[in-house]
């Protein structure tokens, strides 16, 4: 498995305290802006797969809109259910665009 970068949105479209989502090979990913930094997570909530980008963002945390599972956006740690952490993804800003790094199958 290798990794590829995918453009999610323009940096100026991602306001602080907000998120954007992208679906790649059927899997949702999200980027979040917190205090000027951008973080990436697998967007499917570990409970029943609701998109965390649609959750409520408060400080460094996002709360899933479905049943209120809470995650630390910086680490993906789930504060509601031990071991149900959301995998983190690298992000980068290039030419004013936000990119997320996604695992990519070698044979695709
Ligand atoms: S789907 Fe996220 S808390 Fe249930």
């Amino acid at each position: 498995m290798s990794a590829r970068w995918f453009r999610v949105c323009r940096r100026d479209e991602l306001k602080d305290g907000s998120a954007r989502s992208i679906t790649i090979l059927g899997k949702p990913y999200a980027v979040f802006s917190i205090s000027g930094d951008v973080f990436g997570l697998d967007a499917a909530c570990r409970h029943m797969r609701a998109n965390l980008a649609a959750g409520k963002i408060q400080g460094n945390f996002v709360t899933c809109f479905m049943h209120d599972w809470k995650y630390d956006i910086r680490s993906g740690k789930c504060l509601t259910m031990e071991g149900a952490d959301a995998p983190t993804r690298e992000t980068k800003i290039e030419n004013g665009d936000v990119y997320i790094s996604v695992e990519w199958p070698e044979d695709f």
Side-chain angles (χ1 to χ4, degrees):
M1 194 76 81
S2 59
R4 285 194 186 181
W5 291 101
F6 287 86
R7 181 190 176 279
V8 182
C9 61
R10 290 203 46 79
R11 180 64 183 97
D12 58 14
E13 294 172 331
L14 187 64
K15 305 293 182 210
D16 246 27
S18 74
R20 289 293 182 105
S21 182
I22 185 172
T23 300
I24 300 162
L25 297 180
K27 201 171 163 186
Y29 300 89
V31 291
F32 298 82
S33 179
I34 302 171
S35 304
D37 290 323
V38 176
F39 298 90
L41 292 177
D42 283 14
C45 177
R46 306 299 273 184
H47 180 217
M48 294 179 71
R49 306 192 60 77
N51 194 316
L52 293 175
K56 184 174 185 180
I57 299 168
Q58 291 175 299
N60 297 322
F61 303 98
V62 60
T63 302
C64 181
F65 71 93
M66 288 283 279
H67 316 96
D68 297 333
W69 282 27
K70 190 172 182 179
Y71 298 83
D72 187 323
I73 292 166
R74 301 161 301 174
S75 65
K77 183 168 181 53
C78 182
L79 306 180
T80 307
M81 182 66 67
E82 191 172 325
D85 303 345
T88 57
R89 298 288 165 192
E90 281 187 76
T91 61
K92 68 177 181 181
I93 314 296
E94 213 170 82
N95 299 323
D97 292 323
V98 179
Y99 289 82
I100 191 165
S101 176
V102 168
E103 288 170 6
W104 192 258
E106 301 285 354
D107 57 352
F108 192 78

